[in-house]
């Protein structure tokens, strides 16, 4: 897709930003088609590094499920997208604003609201990784 | 700086996007206010959890 559209790249934005816009449009297009399943993020995100320890693997997968579930089902797309760009793809505020067509000020606001909402959903889900009284010292939890 | 203002700056504080003066004011508040300190800790933890997810190459 990017190859077919390369003639539309006008050097006004960074190549990465331009490419991300294409990816974002494809994501939205695909997401609209798959709305009933809402499995896109679940399929596209993973936690790397498994050491084969079954207990650790289970704890990791439970936490991973909790994080992804909250991201996927409890965050509106406008917040999910900005969290993915910033916290998973390490985009700068400027790159996010260019990709999404937002002002820097709106980018900051949306990122903050998204992060607050994400934190609240984890707390509401009683995510053990967030609670201070969780005293398990299992290696898997410490690392995650 | 009041609690509500400090909480509204958590994101920019985390991303190191604040001026030195405001950053110091936020830090001073967090050193003194246990409630904001706890909220800040949870906020940071949730971002760190999110960052542990890696997109497939």
């Amino acid at each position: 897709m990017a190859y077919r559209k390369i003639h539309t790249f006008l050097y006004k934005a960074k190549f990465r930003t331009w490419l991300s816009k294409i990816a974002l449009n494809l994501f939205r297009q695909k997401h609209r088609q798959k709305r009933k399943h809402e499995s896109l993020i679940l399929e596209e995100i993973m936690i790397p590094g498994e050491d084969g320890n079954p207990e650790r693997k289970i704890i990791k997968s439970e936490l991973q499920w909790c994080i992804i579930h909250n991201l996927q089902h409890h965050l509106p797309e406008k917040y999910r997208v900005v969290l993915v760009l910033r916290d998973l793809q390490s985009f700068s505020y400027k790159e996010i604003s260019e990709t999404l067509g937002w002002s820097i000020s709106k980018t900051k606001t949306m990122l903050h609201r998204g992060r607050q909402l994400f934190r609240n959903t984890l707390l509401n889900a009683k995510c053990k990784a967030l609670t201070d009284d969780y005293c398990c010292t299992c290696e898997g939890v410490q690392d995650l | 700086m009041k609690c509500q203002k400090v909480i509204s700056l958590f994101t920019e504080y985390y991303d190191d996007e604040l001026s030195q003066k405001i950053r110091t004011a936020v830090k001073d508040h967090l050193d003194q206010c246990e409630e904001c300190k706890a909220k800040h800790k949870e906020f940071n933890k949730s971002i760190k959890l999110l960052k542990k997810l890696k997109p497939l190459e």
Side-chain angles (χ1 to χ4, degrees):
Chain A
M1 173 63 82
Y3 179 74
R4 277 193 279 136
K5 294 285 180 185
I6 192 72
H7 65 281
T8 66
F9 179 58
L10 299 173
Y11 298 94
K12 287 180 181 171
K14 279 188 186 172
F15 183 73
R16 188 165 91 123
T17 307
W18 175 79
L19 197 60
S20 298
K21 274 190 179 177
I22 291 181
L24 192 63
N25 286 338
L26 285 173
F27 169 85
R28 284 176 170 154
Q29 198 179 346
K30 200 174 169 188
H31 192 61
R32 273 196 295 272
Q33 291 164 355
K34 287 193 161 189
R35 196 173 289 263
K36 283 182 184 174
H37 302 295
E38 292 197 343
S39 57
L40 196 60
I41 284 195
L42 190 61
E43 289 167 2
E44 292 185 352
I45 293 175
M46 61 173 286
I47 291 180
E50 293 297 343
D51 60 1
N53 179 323
E55 187 185 10
R56 180 175 171 169
K57 208 168 179 176
I58 289 169
I59 290 167
K60 267 196 166 182
S61 61
E62 281 179 356
L63 283 173
Q64 181 182 3
W65 184 88
C66 182
I67 295 165
I68 292 172
H69 176 82
N70 280 292
L71 191 63
Q72 192 178 1
H73 294 281
H74 297 288
L75 280 187
E77 188 195 318
K78 59 185 177 182
Y79 297 127
R80 185 165 60 228
V81 166
V82 73
L83 287 190
V84 168
L85 290 179
R86 176 66 195 166
D87 294 328
L88 297 185
Q89 302 289 346
S90 303
F91 273 43
S92 67
Y93 287 6
K94 187 170 181 289
E95 286 172 327
I96 295 171
S97 72
E98 286 170 357
T99 303
L100 299 177
W102 294 346
S103 65
I104 295 282
S105 172
K106 182 176 178 181
T107 298
K108 287 179 183 176
T109 303
M110 297 299 277
L111 180 60
H112 184 65
R113 285 181 189 164
R115 282 175 170 174
Q116 288 278 44
L117 192 57
F118 181 65
R119 164 191 162 270
N120 290 343
T121 60
L122 289 182
L123 283 176
N124 290 340
K126 296 185 170 48
C127 175
K128 291 191 187 306
L130 276 196
T131 54
D132 283 336
D133 57 347
Y134 188 56
C135 58
C136 176
T137 55
C138 172
E139 191 189 358
V141 172
Q142 295 302 308
D143 284 358
L144 191 63
Chain B
M1 197 177 276
K2 292 187 176 176
C3 294
Q4 203 175 350
K5 178 67 180 171
V6 170
I7 291 167
S8 75
L9 294 172
F10 277 177
T11 278
E12 289 170 79
Y13 187 75
Y14 182 90
D15 291 327
D16 203 11
E17 293 278 341
L18 295 172
S19 68
Q20 192 55 48
K21 188 181 170 187
I22 297 178
R23 187 172 180 81
T24 304
V26 172
K27 187 178 182 306
D28 289 346
H29 182 96
L30 292 175
D31 286 342
Q32 294 163 13
C33 177
E34 288 301 320
E35 203 174 323
C36 284
K37 193 187 219 173
K39 284 181 180 170
H40 182 244
K41 196 175 171 186
E42 285 169 356
F43 184 84
N44 282 1
K45 270 189 186 178
S46 66
I47 299 173
K48 283 176 186 167
L49 281 173
L50 190 57
K51 282 179 181 285
K52 290 287 180 185
L53 300 175
K54 296 285 179 196
L56 289 172
E57 295 296 329

